Amino acid sequence: MKKYRPYYFVLLLFIILLGIMSRKNDLIPLCTGDFLYAFMMYIVIRIILIDKKSIQIAIISLLICYTIEFSQLYHANWINELRNTLLGRYTLGQGFLWTDIFAYTCGSFSAFYIERIILKRASNQVSE
């Protein structure tokens, strides 16, 4: 799995670019950015924990996304000031929405299934 780390990093950069572009275009639904955020979180956790099972990565990334979303219910001055910055807005969000929870779930498990499909094909090609 460690040999795939550079590919995950390139994918991470691509997902970040797509996520930023999705926030700049009014024609793209806001939940698309949340979907991509969860997908990105899966990739980040995969890069850090490269040898863990895919389901573990999916659960960890999903728990992080849920924690960030539920943290939006907390409104202390210091965290609100952080959320008002560009980086804070992109990483912590601004307001709790149940649709975000749904988008995070879809994004994490889409990354999980796509990774399993790609890795299965890669292992089948190596064994042939």
Side-chain angles (χ1 to χ4, degrees):
M1 282 295 290
K2 290 182 180 169
K3 67 181 179 182
Y4 294 118
R5 193 175 263 150
Y7 298 108
Y8 284 112
F9 186 73
V10 170
L11 180 60
L12 173 66
L13 295 177
F14 181 69
I15 296 294
I16 290 171
L17 179 65
L18 285 178
I20 291 171
M21 288 173 37
S22 77
R23 295 293 189 205
K24 302 289 183 190
N25 188 334
D26 293 336
L27 298 175
I28 299 173
L30 284 176
C31 64
T32 304
D34 299 315
F35 175 91
L36 291 170
Y37 185 87
F39 203 103
M40 177 208 66
M41 189 60 66
Y42 182 95
I43 301 302
V44 167
I45 301 303
R46 170 53 77 201
I47 290 170
I48 296 168
L49 304 173
I50 196 76
D51 292 325
K52 294 290 183 187
K53 293 181 179 180
S54 297
I55 191 67
Q56 291 173 309
I57 301 299
I59 291 169
I60 292 168
S61 65
L62 199 53
L63 288 174
I64 291 170
C65 289
Y66 285 176
T67 300
I68 290 170
E69 188 65 24
F70 280 102
S71 78
Q72 294 171 23
L73 296 170
Y74 178 67
H75 292 285
N77 286 336
W78 68 271
I79 199 162
N80 286 338
E81 287 178 22
L82 185 60
R83 287 185 185 119
N84 286 332
T85 67
L86 181 65
L87 184 60
R89 188 170 48 253
Y90 280 154
T91 55
L92 299 175
Q94 293 187 299
F96 177 85
L97 293 171
W98 284 106
T99 54
D100 291 352
I101 296 292
F102 179 72
Y104 292 147
T105 304
C106 292
S108 288
F109 283 104
S110 292
F112 167 76
Y113 285 115
I114 290 169
E115 180 187 49
R116 289 194 63 182
I117 290 166
I118 290 171
L119 290 178
K120 188 175 182 177
R121 285 186 182 166
S123 67
N124 285 343
Q125 288 177 353
V126 169
S127 63
E128 290 178 355

